[in-house]
């Protein structure tokens, strides 16, 4: 695969309302967008930190993957998103290298990105999202 930088870190929170004051207050970042992603059952809040974004994830339903994550592991870093060009080719390359794909084909993510997740069992324990601005 060819990756260029950490596009964002996805961070699971219990509540955006509780989490945002830390990022805005203590760290002095500005939340530039709050967006609900219905098919992932999350509400997201975005901050810019250099060229990397912070994506806070709040579950919108009990069967959301983020709700299960918080229940099992608590709040904290949920996934790392790597910026790529040509996400279809990168995904095919990942599969050719024996990496288990969660998303066989790219789909629409938050903040105008096309995304695909790789399984943490084949990415050294880190839930990894490939993403491309389209
Ligand atoms: Zn993400």
């Amino acid at each position: 695969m060819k990756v260029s930088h950490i596009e964002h870190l996805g961070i699971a929170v219990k509540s955006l309302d509780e989490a945002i004051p830390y990022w805005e207050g203590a760290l002095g970042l500005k939340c530039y967008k709050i967006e609900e992603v219905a098919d992932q059952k999350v509400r997201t809040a975005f901050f810019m930190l250099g060229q990397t974004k912070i994506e806070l994830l709040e579950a919108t339903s009990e069967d959301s993957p983020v709700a299960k994550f918080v229940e099992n592991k608590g709040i904290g870093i949920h996934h790392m998103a790597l910026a790529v060009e040509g996400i279809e080719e990168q995904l095919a390359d990942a599969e050719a290298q024996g990496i288990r794909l969660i998303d066989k084909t790219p789909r629409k993510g938050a903040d105008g990105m096309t995304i695909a997740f790789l399984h943490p069992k084949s990415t050294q324990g880190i839930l990894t999202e490939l993403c491309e601005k389209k």
Side-chain angles (χ1 to χ4, degrees):
M1 279 182 283
K2 195 159 177 249
V3 299
S4 60
H5 63 280
I6 298 177
E7 208 281 334
H8 65 267
L9 287 178
I11 297 176
V13 303
K14 275 191 181 143
S15 145
L16 291 183
D17 289 344
E18 282 175 23
I20 287 171
Y22 166 71
W23 295 90
E24 289 199 323
L27 297 182
L29 304 177
K30 179 90 195 86
C31 176
Y32 68 88
K33 182 189 266 188
I34 290 182
E35 181 184 351
E36 184 161 344
V37 185
D39 76 323
Q40 289 171 58
K41 298 178 181 168
V42 289
R43 216 158 62 93
T44 61
F46 283 94
F47 304 82
M48 216 56 227
L49 181 51
Q51 68 172 344
T52 302
K53 299 172 197 164
I54 301 295
E55 176 190 58
L56 303 184
L57 302 154
E58 173 196 77
T60 53
S61 119
E62 279 176 19
D63 63 342
S64 161
V66 168
K68 289 184 187 127
F69 179 90
V70 170
E71 200 179 295
N72 293 331
K73 297 189 175 167
I75 60 173
I77 295 177
H78 175 263
H79 64 271
M80 174 173 73
L82 302 174
V84 298
E85 277 179 35
I87 191 165
E88 290 85 0
E89 298 85 68
Q90 300 304 323
L91 208 50
D93 185 35
E95 189 166 34
Q97 292 185 65
I99 293 172
R100 201 165 130 198
L101 311 182
I102 294 176
D103 298 305
K104 297 258 182 215
T105 53
R107 59 193 165 100
K108 192 184 165 303
D111 207 26
M113 306 300 286
T114 299
I115 64 152
F117 278 97
L118 309 178
H119 200 284
K121 286 230 161 88
S122 38
T123 55
Q124 298 294 307
I126 303 160
L127 176 59
T128 301
E129 176 184 352
L130 300 181
C131 68
E132 180 174 31
K133 191 108 201 156
K134 283 210 171 168

